[in-house]
């Protein structure tokens, strides 16, 4: 069985609440939501994180941002605002080593993050 948690979600070996899926991207609800809207948008390609991104991933990352925009609209946070966050490495608290964009919204979000 696949070791990476998010690769298992992609392969449907693990349950998740999926909100968007295409050939390259999956978006699903975060299991421990930090805001009324908290989703994770991930590439289906296993990329451990931002530091492993390559030139060839440019288009994929652009597509993820456009999916985020679409989901923000569907989740009714497009107008009031939302946050798209990628944690990278230990100081940022990256817990899952498969690149993921958090989409957070539905409440006033503090800045700077703790
Ligand atoms: P990060 O700290 O940026 O690596 O974020 C990892 C995120 O994955 C956290 O917000 C977790 O709540 C979330 N998470 C962990 N396991 C699952 C899962 N099985 N389904 C959905 N989200 C998950
Ligand atoms: Zn993976």
């Amino acid at each position: 069985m696949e070791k990476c948690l998010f690769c298992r979600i992609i392969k449907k070996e693990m349950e998740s609440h999926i909100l968007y899926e295409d050939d390259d991207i999956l978006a699903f609800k975060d299991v421990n939501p930090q805001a009324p809207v908290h989703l994770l948008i991930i590439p289906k390609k296993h990329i451990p994180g931002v530091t492993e991104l390559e030139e060839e991933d440019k288009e994929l990352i652009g597509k993820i941002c456009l999916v985020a925009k679409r989901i923000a609209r569907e989740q009714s946070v497009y107008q009031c605002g939302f946050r798209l966050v990628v944690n990278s490495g230990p100081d940022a608290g990256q817990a899952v080593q498969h690149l993921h964009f958090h989409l957070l919204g539905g409440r006033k979000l503090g800045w700077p993050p703790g």
Side-chain angles (χ1 to χ4, degrees):
M1 193 190 274
E2 186 63 65
K3 270 193 229 147
C4 170
L5 181 65
F6 288 175
C7 282
R8 273 159 60 194
I9 287 176
I10 291 163
K11 291 182 176 165
K12 316 277 162 57
E13 292 172 0
M14 253 191 89
E15 237 182 275
S16 67
H17 185 136
I18 294 172
L19 293 160
Y20 176 88
E21 179 166 22
D22 66 25
D23 288 346
D24 304 312
I25 295 164
L26 188 73
F28 53 98
K29 287 193 177 182
D30 195 294
V31 79
N32 183 22
Q34 301 302 311
V37 175
H38 188 176
L39 314 172
L40 300 172
I41 309 172
I42 67 173
K44 287 191 172 175
K45 175 183 175 186
H46 179 86
I47 302 168
V50 168
T51 50
E52 283 78 20
L53 280 170
E54 300 288 352
E55 194 70 18
E56 65 184 28
D57 300 317
K58 269 196 305 203
E59 196 179 327
L60 180 59
I61 299 309
K63 280 181 74 177
I64 288 176
C65 290
L66 291 175
V67 167
K69 173 181 166 179
R70 172 187 169 149
I71 294 176
R73 217 179 241 136
E74 287 168 3
Q75 296 289 314
S76 307
V77 294
Y78 189 80
Q79 295 290 348
C80 54
F82 60 93
R83 188 169 289 158
L84 202 53
V85 182
V86 183
N87 294 319
S88 177
D91 277 2
Q94 182 181 2
V96 179
Q97 309 307 310
H98 181 127
L99 181 66
H100 49 284
F101 288 67
H102 296 259
L103 193 161
L104 295 138
R107 68 168 170 82
K108 190 90 180 156
L109 299 163
W111 191 263

